[in-house]
Amino acid sequence: MNIHKFVMPEVIFGNGAIEHAGESCLRLGATNVFIVSDPGVIEAGWLDVVIRSCKQANLQYTVFSDVTMNPKDVEVEKGCKAYIENECDAIIGIGGGSPLDVAKAVAILVTNGGKIHDYEGVNKIRKPLPPQVMIPTTAGSGSEVSQFSVIVDTLGQKKMTIISKSLIPDIAIIDPETLSTKNAHLTASTGLDVLTHGIEAYVSLAATPLTDVQAKNAISLVSEYLRPSVASKINKEAKTKMAMASLQAGLAFSNAILGAVHAMSHAVGGKYPVLHGDINSILLPHVMEYNLLANPKKFADIAAFLGVDIRGLSHMEAGRKAIECIKQLTMEIDAPQRLSDIGLEKDEIPHMSLVALDDACMITNPRDVTAEDIEEIFRRAW
Ligand SMILES: [Fe+2]
């Protein structure tokens, strides 16, 4: 019998949950909290809510918001310095995947030392991290529940994937109301990232019955609620369902890991300032076409989760319907369709293929890949 392992943080989910930030830190023994955020989250007013909650819990705090899209090693180093200078003893990350991944990377360096590059790959962290409370404001990266942090190596121009059980936050606070301040493009892009997490986790070589149930729910929820969530900032039901989809996809991929879409997307995102979800949604149908052969039954399942009537179809036929269904969804919510649409240079393909082949997410892709295979997928997505 195979041994299954499933890890996750304490989860506080629901409208108004963000007000539990200070009390959550207090329960973890914090006295002086390092809060990682970004300018967009501050402008939307969510940082103020967290600060008020920390004050109510009599906590001292320091805010660090020098975080950009596709966060970088230099930002992590700056954050680490600020944490130590201010003698903090716990970390809150609030925002999209970028502030959350920087918060986790700062947590690594403040107790383990060295450079963030030292921790690229699987299980390189040796010493315990400070208490971490993560509050996502997108649906989303899943970073609030995952054992991942993805940081750009600015000299190497690539994303480093860091995977370790130590990166699973102590508490994830998920408040669907925070999704109401995101525009349609960001909602579409982050929602398609959620879909990619669900699909890659479901067909991953490391999938288990425990991750499959999370992935299945996430895929179905995105299929039903991403369109209304893109269409309206104030559709509370759609926001709540997308927050749950993001959480469940995060739990699935944190434990089952990902695949070629994320490995290739990390190669692109390390070099081009493009939204992670935009790159994923362009690559997803092409990688699914490539991977279909590896597990037709699971791709047929995905078609059913997406609401496709698969009666009378072979698994291969049903799997192809799933791919069509996803292309249709991406068109309806105005997601970019081709890598050329987001400004990528074609002559970068051979180099990016080699970088993608080396990414930790490629280990669990269901079909074997060579650099030439990746080049071909990139070309089809151009
Ligand atoms: Fe992702």
Side-chain angles (χ1 to χ4, degrees):
M1 180 189 156
N2 289 334
I3 292 172
H4 298 157
K5 186 173 79 168
F6 190 92
V7 281
M8 64 177 287
E10 173 184 331
V11 171
I12 305 174
F13 185 102
N15 291 334
I18 191 170
E19 288 170 27
H20 291 262
E23 169 259 331
S24 296
C25 290
L26 208 55
R27 283 197 285 122
L28 297 169
T31 61
N32 186 357
V33 184
F34 191 68
I35 307 174
V36 181
S37 187
D38 71 20
V41 175
I42 294 172
E43 198 187 323
W46 300 116
L47 180 69
D48 288 340
V49 181
V50 170
I51 288 175
R52 197 168 60 231
S53 169
C54 286
K55 282 181 178 166
Q56 279 167 356
N58 290 320
L59 292 166
Q60 285 184 281
Y61 64 89
T62 298
V63 174
F64 177 77
S65 62
D66 288 345
V67 177
T68 54
M69 178 173 66
N70 298 320
K72 293 152 194 71
D73 45 11
V74 287
E75 294 159 14
V76 174
E77 283 157 23
K78 216 167 152 187
C80 175
K81 197 162 165 260
Y83 180 103
I84 292 168
E85 275 172 7
N86 289 282
E87 299 179 345
C88 296
D89 56 13
I91 296 192
I92 291 178
I94 169 155
S98 300
L100 270 51
D101 280 0
V102 168
K104 290 164 134 189
V106 168
I108 298 172
L109 292 192
V110 295
T111 52
N112 284 263
K115 294 171 69 183
I116 197 63
H117 310 69
D118 303 336
Y119 304 95
E120 183 180 8
V122 183
N123 290 338
K124 302 276 177 65
I125 300 167
R126 294 283 169 258
K127 294 181 187 161
L129 272 44
Q132 301 169 58
V133 174
M134 296 295 156
I135 310 168
T137 60
T138 59
S141 71
S143 185
E144 69 280 5
V145 293
S146 83
Q147 51 183 330
F148 282 59
S149 173
V150 183
I151 301 293
V152 171
D153 169 357
T154 41
L155 279 179
Q157 293 194 319
K158 67 175 187 101
K159 282 191 169 184
M160 300 177 284
T161 302
I162 304 164
I163 307 176
S164 167
K165 190 169 162 292
S166 308
L167 289 176
I168 295 174
D170 297 278
I171 302 177
I173 298 178
I174 300 154
D175 188 334
E177 282 181 354
T178 61
L179 305 181
S180 64
T181 49
K182 299 293 174 298
N183 64 33
H185 178 204
L186 199 59
T187 303
S189 181
T190 51
L192 290 169
D193 188 26
V194 172
L195 181 63
T196 310
H197 295 157
I199 290 173
E200 293 217 282
Y202 192 71
V203 300
S204 159
L205 292 178
T208 71
L210 292 169
T211 60
D212 280 354
V213 69
Q214 306 292 339
K216 173 189 173 189
N217 287 347
I219 295 165
S220 294
L221 286 168
V222 171
S223 168
E224 194 167 349
Y225 293 99
L226 181 54
R227 289 175 182 86
S229 185
V230 169
S232 165
K233 283 185 177 178
I234 56 165
N235 183 332
K236 283 194 174 183
E237 185 190 14
K239 299 298 175 197
T240 302
K241 299 290 188 182
M242 282 306 300
M244 182 55 75
S246 177
L247 167 61
Q248 295 201 272
L251 293 173
F253 91 76
S254 174
N255 289 280
I257 319 298
L258 293 157
V261 178
H262 273 78
M264 294 169 71
S265 167
H266 290 160
V268 177
K271 191 154 174 121
Y272 292 89
V274 181
L275 285 174
H276 170 68
D278 283 358
I279 309 169
N280 284 354
S281 68
I282 293 168
L283 291 171
L284 179 62
H286 300 280
V287 171
M288 287 176 76
E289 272 163 21
Y290 178 80
N291 281 340
L292 180 56
L293 198 65
N295 199 337
K297 163 76 172 74
K298 278 211 148 175
F299 282 99
D301 291 346
I302 289 169
F305 304 157
L306 291 167
V308 177
D309 182 357
I310 60 168
R311 284 174 298 182
L313 301 180
S314 70
H315 289 154
M316 288 295 284
E317 287 166 345
R320 288 194 194 98
K321 291 273 184 199
I323 297 165
E324 279 171 32
C325 192
I326 286 164
K327 284 183 185 162
Q328 186 68 30
L329 170 64
T330 62
M331 282 190 283
E332 284 170 7
I333 60 175
D334 279 336
Q337 297 295 310
R338 314 224 47 95
L339 290 171
S340 49
D341 292 346
I342 53 178
L344 267 67
E345 301 290 340
K346 203 169 187 177
D347 57 8
E348 290 282 353
I349 288 181
H351 172 69
M352 285 196 300
S353 300
L354 288 174
V355 173
L357 193 61
D358 214 26
D359 191 279
C361 293
M362 201 59 102
I363 299 167
T364 45
N365 192 65
R367 184 171 175 183
D368 296 343
V369 283
T370 63
E372 291 72 34
D373 296 328
I374 302 171
E375 284 190 28
E376 180 57 27
I377 299 168
F378 268 133
R379 288 207 173 84
R380 286 185 186 176
W382 220 263

